[in-house]
Amino acid sequence: MYRPHHAGSLTRAAFLSARNDVLANIAIIVAGLVTAFLWHAAWPDLLVGLGIAAMNADAAREVWQAARNEHRAAA
């Protein structure tokens, strides 16, 4: 049984990476559709790019904290 609160930092990183990849791909497709049909500008791509960067930064922070907690528990 998968228990995210008992998983290690590598498991957390793999989960967050897969989740972020799916969300980023969906956002990129939506931005492409918005650009093609509604708003002929670069703004949808730029906004999605900023959102992806923020999402990945938050995931990196979570993995860093999980790894730090593991390191402290092992010491």
Side-chain angles (χ1 to χ4, degrees), residues 5 8 13-15 21-22 24 26 29-30 34 42 44 47 52 55 58-60 65-66 68-69 71 74:
H5 58 282
F15 169 76
D21 192 38
V22 168
I26 292 169
I29 290 168
V30 170
V34 167
L47 294 174
I52 291 170
M55 182 174 56
D58 184 58
Q65 288 176 343
R68 187 177 58 199
N69 292 339
H71 180 72

Side-chain angles (χ1 to χ4, degrees), residues 5-54:
H5 58 282
H6 293 302
S9 60
L10 290 176
T11 304
R12 187 71 184 146
F15 169 76
L16 291 172
S17 177
R19 181 202 66 183
N20 289 357
D21 192 38
V22 168
L23 294 175
N25 287 334
I26 292 169
I28 290 167
I29 290 168
V30 170
L33 293 172
V34 167
T35 301
F37 296 112
L38 299 174
W39 194 11
H40 301 287
W43 287 107
D45 293 328
L46 293 171
L47 294 174
V48 166
L50 290 173
I52 291 170

